[in-house]
């Protein structure tokens, strides 16, 4: 399955990933500086949410594309649904 994201979806996913990247860099710096544990966990949690949202967005787009693809058999759709469900649960 090849995922094709529309320009606005791609921009949104990339923004979330960049935000997470910045937050992770911030967490690393905080740990190196010996910052307060609660502050570190708060930043780490924010990075985790940004990654989760990007992942869910990608999976939702994949699900939408797979369900609307022409020429798929019921068995193909069932296999694809199972693969996407496994991906979804890997983020849960």
């Amino acid at each position: 399955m090849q995922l094709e994201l529309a320009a606005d979806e791609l921009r949104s996913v990339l923004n979330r990933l960049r935000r997470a990247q910045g937050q992770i860099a911030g967490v690393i710096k905080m740990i190196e500086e010996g910052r307060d544990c609660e502050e570190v966990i708060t930043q780490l949690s924010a990075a985790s949410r940004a990654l989760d949202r990007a992942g869910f967005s990608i999976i939702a787009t994949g699900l939408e594309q797979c369900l609307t693809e022409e020429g798929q058999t019921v068995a193909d759709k069932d296999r694809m649904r199972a693969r996407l469900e496994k991906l979804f649960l890997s983020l849960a």
Side-chain angles (χ1 to χ4, degrees):
M1 167 181 77
Q2 183 175 356
L3 183 66
E4 296 178 18
L5 294 172
D8 59 331
E9 293 168 333
L10 180 61
R11 190 171 28 261
S12 175
V13 167
L14 290 174
N15 284 341
R16 289 180 194 279
L17 291 173
R18 285 186 184 108
R19 186 176 309 126
Q21 183 179 34
Q23 289 165 327
I24 291 169
V27 169
I28 291 168
K29 185 177 179 184
M30 291 170 79
I31 291 171
E32 290 173 343
E33 294 173 351
R35 298 274 294 273
D36 179 67
C37 181
E38 188 174 339
E39 293 176 25
V40 172
I41 297 299
T42 299
Q43 274 300 110
L44 194 55
S45 176
S48 179
R49 281 192 309 273
L51 287 172
D52 287 346
R53 287 182 180 162
F56 289 135
S57 179
I58 291 168
I59 291 170
T61 300
L63 182 59
E64 180 181 21
Q65 287 176 7
C66 291
L67 292 178
T68 59
E69 248 180 52
E70 296 289 324
Q72 282 191 329
T73 66
V74 172
D76 290 338
K77 286 184 179 184
D78 287 345
R79 278 192 294 277
M80 186 57 62
R81 183 188 177 280
R83 287 175 59 197
L84 288 167
E85 183 177 338
K86 184 178 178 181
L87 288 171
F88 180 81
L89 290 173
S90 73
L91 292 174

